[in-house]
């Protein structure tokens, strides 16, 4: 095993919180308690963080808005531009087939200072798939990200589930993603309940360290985002990339 990374008080607290959240996942706790950096991993493991992350530090005024990257490319561009108007940075977990259809969006996302990650190749129920098929879903998207941007990205989010099984978590790690990115606030924007409902759901649950699940491709999200960003600004919560949230 490689060297054990240094921990600080915050990291220890985070790991403790993460362990509690992932207690039902029956995943190996050794890697959680004593994280190591894998020299072969494309993305470096973050010190003392669990394999599956639902939120960042609760003691700093920062949040991460994370988007399912699929659907109408025009709404994606509108949402990115809107976020940038407010000085916000977001995280896009892109579906591989969406990148095939709109390859220019990969660069657009990175050029805006946002994070770009992996949301599987076809957005199927990855937790229900065979090991071979699930691995292909992860590596298929990773290959596209690498081809388009030179990197597989840091973050992986499983498709059609907020939480990955231990098998999918292991497959993600083998593909080069040390951490699976879940979330603690679900906007439910994909159910099209109306923009006010989306904004209210997010703003009633978001707090320091929150990771919010949002989607490209829905009109409600476009209308809700400025409301959310204005209120975050009023509360002094900065919308940062997932990488920054956990750094
Ligand atoms: Zn999704």
């Amino acid at each position: 095993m490689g060297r054990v990374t240094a921990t600080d008080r915050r990291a220890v607290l985070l790991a403790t919180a993460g362990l509690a959240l992932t207690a039902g996942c029956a995943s190996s706790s050794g890697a959680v308690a004593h994280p190591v950096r894998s020299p072969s991993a494309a993305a470096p493991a973050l010190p003392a963080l669990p394999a599956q992350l639902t939120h960042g530090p609760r003691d700093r005024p920062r949040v991460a808005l994370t988007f399912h990257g699929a659907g109408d490319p025009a709404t994606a561009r509108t949402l990115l531009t809107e976020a940038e108007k407010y000085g916000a940075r977001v995280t896009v977990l892109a579906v591989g087939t969406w990148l095939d259809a709109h390859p220019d969006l990969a660069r657009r996302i990175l050029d805006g200072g946002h994070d770009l990650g992996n949301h599987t190749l076809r957005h199927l129920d990855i937790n229900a798939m065979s090991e071979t098929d699930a691995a292909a879903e992860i590596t298929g998207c990773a290959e596209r990200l690498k081809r388009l941007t030179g990197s597989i990205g840091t973050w992986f989010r499983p498709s059609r589930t907020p939480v990955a099984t231990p098998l999918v978590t292991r497959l993600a790690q083998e593909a080069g993603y040390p951490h699976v990115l879940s979330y603690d606030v679900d906007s439910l924007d994909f159910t099209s309940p109306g923009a006010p409902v989306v904004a209210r759901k997010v703003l009633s649950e978001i707090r320091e360290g929150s990771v919010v699940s949002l989607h490209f491709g829905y009109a409600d999200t476009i209308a809700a985002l400025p409301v959310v960003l204005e209120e975050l600004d009023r509360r002094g919560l900065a919308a940062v990339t997932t990488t920054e949230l956990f750094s």
Side-chain angles (χ1 to χ4, degrees), residues 52-72:
Q52 197 138 204
L53 302 168
T54 54
H55 63 81
R58 295 297 196 194
D59 59 355
R60 286 192 282 178
R62 307 193 304 198
V63 298
L65 305 181
T66 66
F67 288 85
H68 152 110
D72 173 26

Side-chain angles (χ1 to χ4, degrees), residues 31 42 63 77 91 108 121 159 162 167 188 209-210 213 216 221 232 241 245:
V63 298
R77 291 178 195 286
T91 300
R108 167 67 186 87
L121 179 58
S159 42
L167 169 64
L188 296 179
S210 280
S213 170
F216 283 167
T221 320
L232 291 181
T241 62
L245 185 74

Side-chain angles (χ1 to χ4, degrees), residues 97-112:
T97 51
W98 185 70
L99 292 172
D100 285 343
H102 314 289
D104 54 314
L105 279 172
R107 182 46 59 190
R108 167 67 186 87
I109 291 161
L110 292 181
D111 285 350

Side-chain angles (χ1 to χ4, degrees), residues 67-70 93 95 119 123 157-161 213-215:
F67 288 85
H68 152 110
L93 290 316
V95 175
H119 197 32
H123 206 267
R157 174 170 288 165
S159 42
R160 297 188 184 274
T161 172
S213 170
L214 295 148
H215 291 71

Side-chain angles (χ1 to χ4, degrees), residues 21-208:
L21 286 163
T22 56
C25 294
S27 57
S28 163
S29 61
V32 174
H34 303 288
V36 297
R37 287 183 188 276
S38 164
S40 61
L46 293 160
L49 294 184
Q52 197 138 204
L53 302 168
T54 54
H55 63 81
R58 295 297 196 194
D59 59 355
R60 286 192 282 178
R62 307 193 304 198
V63 298
L65 305 181
T66 66
F67 288 85
H68 152 110
D72 173 26
T75 68
R77 291 178 195 286
T78 301
L79 284 163
L80 290 168
T81 302
E82 194 66 26
E84 289 155 13
K85 267 191 220 164
Y86 286 83
R89 297 292 175 263
V90 305
T91 300
V92 180
L93 290 316
V95 175
T97 51
W98 185 70
L99 292 172
D100 285 343
H102 314 289
D104 54 314
L105 279 172
R107 182 46 59 190
R108 167 67 186 87
I109 291 161
L110 292 181
D111 285 350
H114 311 288
D115 264 359
L116 176 61
N118 182 324
H119 197 32
T120 77
L121 179 58
R122 294 175 294 168
H123 206 267
L124 305 175
D125 182 3
I126 194 163
N127 281 348
M129 301 176 90
S130 71
E131 177 167 351
T132 304
D133 290 347
E137 284 295 310
I138 300 169
T139 58
C141 186
E143 285 163 9
R144 283 157 175 80
L145 289 167
K146 176 96 178 168
R147 192 172 65 234
L148 291 170
T149 71
S151 166
I152 67 169
T154 301
W155 305 104
F156 167 74
R157 174 170 288 165
S159 42
R160 297 188 184 274
T161 172
V163 177
T165 59
L167 169 64
V168 170
T169 301
R170 174 171 65 77
L171 294 173
Q173 289 174 332
E174 288 172 2
Y177 301 96
H179 304 281
V180 170
L181 182 62
S182 186
Y183 46 85
D184 65 329
V185 178
D186 190 346
S187 72
L188 296 179
D189 57 352
F190 63 94
T191 65
S192 296
V197 176
V198 172
R200 204 177 313 131
K201 177 88 164 59
V202 171
L203 292 171
S204 66
E205 297 178 15
I206 199 167
R207 59 190 176 113
E208 286 82 352

